Amino acid sequence: MTASPQIHSLHIADLAGKPMKQIEQANIMAGEGILGDRYAAGLGAFSKTKPKIRHISLIALSGIADANRQLLDNQYPLFSEGDTRRNVVIKHLSANELNKLVGKTFYLGGLAFKGTELCEPCQRPANLLARPDFIKAFEGRGGIRAEALESGILTNGGLLTHQLNIAT
């Protein structure tokens, strides 16, 4: 029997460039994101000329493990969950399965979200930590961004489920 995808850990940073801190629960505000996080407050590092919905970001724990194996093979330092600068780490789900949620409504801890885009890896996490090559290690496994459709609380262990689009 395969375990259901669920929240492994939650992370926020109050300002752009500040270290991510792990939290036990996240207060989600529909249309904004996680209270206390840089993106919900409009204080994240992002392009103001190309606005994107950055309410919340998710990454697969297995994707982090795969990237770290690649880094280890090249004798590079590893990235912890918080080092990836993603808000929610999901266990029991592959990076590819997570990527397929772009454009779909899904439920995380019972709250509705819509996958908006892939989090294409950039060098920001590597630059902030003075480490090599986040881009190559996390290619195809950088996670996704999502729009918060409902308000509520997320906690570790919250399940991830998605709704199938069935034409009626």
Side-chain angles (χ1 to χ4, degrees), residues 15-18 39 44-45 85 121-129 134:
L15 293 170
K18 292 284 187 174
Y39 287 110
R85 307 207 52 82
C122 65
Q123 279 303 105
R124 186 156 179 78
N127 291 342
L128 288 172
L129 297 167
F134 188 83

Side-chain angles (χ1 to χ4, degrees), residues 59 63-64 67-68 71 79 84 121 134-142:
I59 192 166
I64 297 170
N68 279 335
L71 290 165
F79 284 86
T84 67
F134 188 83
I135 290 176
K136 286 183 186 170
F138 283 87
E139 184 177 351
R141 49 179 92 104

Side-chain angles (χ1 to χ4, degrees), residues 106-164:
F106 60 92
Y107 296 86
L108 187 57
L111 301 178
F113 293 87
K114 182 172 183 178
T116 58
E117 67 177 341
L118 295 176
C119 284
E120 297 294 344
C122 65
Q123 279 303 105
R124 186 156 179 78
N127 291 342
L128 288 172
L129 297 167
R131 295 193 193 152
D133 221 353
F134 188 83
I135 290 176
K136 286 183 186 170
F138 283 87
E139 184 177 351
R141 49 179 92 104
I144 67 169
R145 289 186 187 90
E147 177 180 8
L149 302 176
E150 295 181 322
S151 298
I153 303 290
L154 293 180
T155 58
N156 290 338
L159 295 178
L160 184 149
T161 58
H162 68 280
Q163 172 180 318
L164 297 175

Side-chain angles (χ1 to χ4, degrees), residues 18-39:
K18 292 284 187 174
M20 298 290 282
K21 65 180 180 179
Q22 189 168 345
I23 57 175
E24 293 300 314
Q25 67 178 27
N27 189 354
I28 305 296
M29 293 301 298
E32 292 182 32
I34 302 174
L35 291 183
D37 187 59
R38 65 218 185 272
Y39 287 110

